[in-house]
DNA sequence: TATTGTTATACTCTATAACTATA
DNA sequence: TATAGTTATAGAGTATAACAATA
C-alpha cells in the first residue's frame, strides 16, 4: 500500500473496473504525497530538524502544554518513542519538560522562546514551500482536492 | 511539511486566503495519506514485510530484471540503502541477484517462484484493503481525486 | 575516469517490554 | 491496580563516504 508497482495493470481490458480505479488512485495519492514529502525532509534538514522533530515542535507551537502521552497519541507513536525524540530535542534547548504539579507522574511540554522563534522560521519556510509546490492547482481545484481528501479521511476513520 | 500543527490558523480573519488554503490542503493530504499508510504498515507486517521491502518486491513484480541502481532511483533512496534492503530480502529466498553477463558490474534483480507467489498474495490483500478504505468515495469522486492528484504531481515535478 | 555495487560508520526512528514513581 | 514516563534492547531504514571491480 505504498507507491511501488505504480503502473501495473491486472488485465488488459479496456474498461478499468472500479477496484482498479481505486487502487490506482491510492497509488497516485501515495506517489504525490511522497514526492512532496521528500522535499519536506530536505527542507527541514536545512533547519537541522528531522520530520518527527518538526512534528513535535509544530504540534507544541499550537498545543503547548500537552503531556508526552497525549503527544504520542497525536503523532501515533509509542510513549517510549516520544521520550527519545524529546530527549534529543531538549538537548537543543528548543523545548523543555515541566512537571505537572497536580499530577507528578505527568510532564507537560513547552517550547522555549528560542524554540518558538525557531519553529516559526521553519513554519514560514514550510508554508512558502507548500504554496510553491501547489501553485499548479487553481483555487477551485485546491478546494475540490481538500474536500475529496476530507471525505476520504472520514471514510477511513469510520471503518 | 508533515501532518503536525494541523489546525493552526495564522490569522483570525474570516476570509481564508489562498496561501492558507493551500497549506491546509497539504496538511489534509498528509493526514489522509498517513492515516491510510499506517494501516498499510500493519497490513504488510502481517505478511512479515516492512514497507520498503514491500516496495522492492512489488516493483520487481512488474519490472523484473531492474538493476540495483535503477531500483534505488525508482524508490528514491541511495544504492547503499537498497543494497541493505536487498541483503535482508535475499535471505528470505523471495528474490535474488543475478549478475548481468553483458556488464559484470551490474546485478539484475529477480523474484524467485516463491517470491512471486508471496508478493501476489500480499498485493491481493493490499488491493482488497484499498478498495475497503476507499469505499466511501463514489466512482465520480475517485476519478476527480485521481485527476487532481495527477495535476498536482505534474506541478511538483515541473519545478 | 566513470559507474555499479559493497562495506563501514553513525544516527534516527520504531516497537516491545520491564522498570520506577505516582495516583 | 492503573497510569505516566523512563530505560534497555533490538532491528530497520537512512545517508555519507571510502572502497573494489568493471567499463
Amino acid at each position: 500500500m505504498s507507491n511501488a508497482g505504480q503502473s501495473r495493470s491486472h488485465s488488459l481490458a479496456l474498461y478499468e473496473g472500479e477496484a482498479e480505479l481505486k487502487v490506482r488512485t491510492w497509488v497516485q495519492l501515495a506517489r504525490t504525497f511522497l514526492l512532496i514529502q521528500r522535499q519536506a525532509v530536505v527542507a527541514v534538514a536545512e533547519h537541522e530538524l528531522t520530520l518527527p522533530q518538526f512534528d513535535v515542535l509544530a504540534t507544541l507551537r499550537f498545543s503547548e502544554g500537552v503531556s508526552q502521552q497525549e503527544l504520542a497519541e497525536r503523532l501515533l507513536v509509542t510513549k517510549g518513542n516520544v521520550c527519545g525524540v524529546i530527549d534529543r530535542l531538549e538537548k537543543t534547548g528548543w523545548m523543555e519538560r515541566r512537571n505537572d504539579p497536580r499530577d507528578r507522574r505527568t510532564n507537560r511540554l513547552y517550547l522555549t522562546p528560542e524554540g518558538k522563534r525557531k519553529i516559526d522560521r521553519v513554519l514560514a519556510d514550510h508554508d512558502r514551500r507548500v504554496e510553491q509546490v501547489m501553485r499548479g492547482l487553481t483555487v477551485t481545484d485546491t478546494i475540490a482536492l481538500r474536500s475529496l481528501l476530507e471525505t476520504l479521511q472520514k471514510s477511513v476513520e469510520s471503518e
Side-chain angles (χ1 to χ4, degrees), chain A residues 132-152:
Chain A
Q132 174 68 11
V133 155
M134 299 191 61
R135 82 190 189 295
L137 287 185
T138 65
V139 169
T140 306
D141 281 352
T142 309
I143 290 171
L145 176 59
R146 181 178 168 188
S147 169
L148 288 165
L149 290 168
E150 282 169 354
T151 303
L152 179 54

Side-chain angles (χ1 to χ4, degrees), chain A residues 13-158:
Chain A
L14 292 174
Y15 173 70
E16 181 179 81
E18 186 172 337
E20 183 169 350
L21 168 66
K22 296 205 164 174
V23 171
R24 284 179 180 275
T25 302
W26 159 247
V27 170
Q28 182 64 49
L29 174 59
R31 204 188 315 179
T32 306
F33 170 81
L34 292 169
L35 201 59
I36 300 176
Q37 196 201 36
R38 257 169 232 121
Q39 299 188 4
V41 171
V42 174
V44 301
E46 286 171 8
H47 293 277
E48 295 175 319
L49 289 175
T50 65
L51 229 34
Q53 290 169 353
F54 171 75
D55 283 343
V56 168
L57 295 182
T59 301
L60 290 189
R61 184 64 185 84
F62 302 99
S63 307
E64 237 181 347
V66 294
S67 70
Q68 295 184 198
Q69 183 66 47
E70 287 162 355
L71 188 60
E73 283 162 14
R74 199 176 298 201
L75 301 181
L76 287 159
V77 291
T78 63
K79 57 186 179 171
N81 188 337
V82 141
C83 199
V85 176
I86 290 175
D87 283 346
R88 286 182 283 274
L89 273 175
E90 220 174 12
K91 282 182 194 159
T92 67
W94 292 325
M95 58 159 298
E96 60 189 17
R97 295 163 159 102
R98 294 188 205 157
N99 202 260
D100 185 332
R102 289 183 297 194
D103 182 344
R104 302 215 317 279
R105 292 174 303 183
T106 300
N107 289 331
R108 304 226 158 260
L109 305 174
Y110 294 88
L111 295 173
T112 60
E114 312 86 70
K116 272 205 184 83
R117 284 194 294 272
K118 172 77 181 180
I119 191 60
D120 279 346
R121 281 200 305 277
V122 181
L123 281 170
D125 185 34
H126 165 271
D127 289 4
R128 191 179 53 70
R129 284 170 190 266
V130 170
E131 290 170 51
Q132 174 68 11
V133 155
M134 299 191 61
R135 82 190 189 295
L137 287 185
T138 65
V139 169
T140 306
D141 281 352
T142 309
I143 290 171
L145 176 59
R146 181 178 168 188
S147 169
L148 288 165
L149 290 168
E150 282 169 354
T151 303
L152 179 54
Q153 184 193 336
K154 279 175 200 141
S155 165
V156 175
E157 284 174 340
S158 70

